[in-house]
Amino acid sequence: PNAEDAQNIRKKLTPETFAKIAKEVSLSPERDSGGNLGFFARGEMPKEFEDAVFKLRPGEISPVIKTEYGYHIFLLEERRKAGKLAFNDVKDKIIKKLRQEAADKELAEWIVKLKKQTKIDIKEGLL
């Protein structure tokens, strides 16, 4: 979709139709859940998302936001105060995140190693 398509979609949106329309037109991975990103705190999403969402009041829909990922429209359904969670409530999530970060780092290092070991010939005439 281009900017005009995004603006036309924005004009049709209401808080009541947001999820239904998101399921029909969204290209995001959250499409099937009506575009639901869940709760997030500052620092967890791209800056453009946060700049738009943290200005909204519950029930309010953002203007069209353009990012490197495309065009986005947000509906703020609910706001919660930040708080501290008990370690036992987040322990599994922390372990999963640390394991994923370690795996990502190892994969990146492995790819760099493979690139160094691999001879690549670019045949300009075939491009």
Side-chain angles (χ1 to χ4, degrees):
N2 59 35
E4 185 178 343
D5 294 337
Q7 290 295 342
N8 289 333
I9 291 167
R10 173 59 185 91
K11 289 176 187 173
K12 297 178 195 175
L13 290 173
T14 66
E16 296 77 25
T17 62
F18 192 93
K20 179 181 181 287
I21 292 174
K23 286 180 182 181
E24 294 170 4
V25 301
S26 177
L27 302 176
S28 77
E30 296 81 20
R31 173 187 185 145
D32 292 339
S33 66
N36 190 341
L37 296 174
F39 289 96
F40 58 88
R42 289 192 188 274
E44 294 181 354
M45 290 287 184
K47 183 178 180 337
E48 300 92 347
F49 287 23
E50 291 181 6
D51 289 347
V53 172
F54 286 102
K55 290 179 185 174
L56 299 175
R57 292 181 303 243
E60 194 173 17
I61 299 174
S62 74
V64 174
I65 308 298
K66 184 179 186 317
T67 71
E68 65 181 286
Y69 308 107
Y71 295 94
H72 310 275
I73 304 168
F74 300 96
L75 164 65
L76 179 65
E77 293 182 311
E78 181 183 348
R79 189 180 298 273
R80 290 185 185 169
K81 287 198 177 261
K84 294 184 180 181
L85 300 172
F87 177 70
N88 286 334
D89 293 340
V90 294
K91 179 181 172 184
D92 291 339
K93 190 174 183 178
I94 292 170
I95 290 170
K96 182 178 178 182
K97 181 173 175 60
L98 292 173
R99 283 185 178 149
Q100 185 61 52
E101 288 174 0
D104 290 347
K105 181 181 176 189
E106 282 191 41
L107 178 62
E109 291 171 356
W110 181 64
I111 290 172
V112 167
K113 181 181 172 184
L114 286 177
K115 284 181 178 180
K116 287 180 181 177
Q117 295 174 348
T118 305
K119 182 178 189 244
I120 300 173
D121 284 333
I122 298 175
K123 304 202 183 227
E124 296 288 335
L126 298 175
L127 297 176

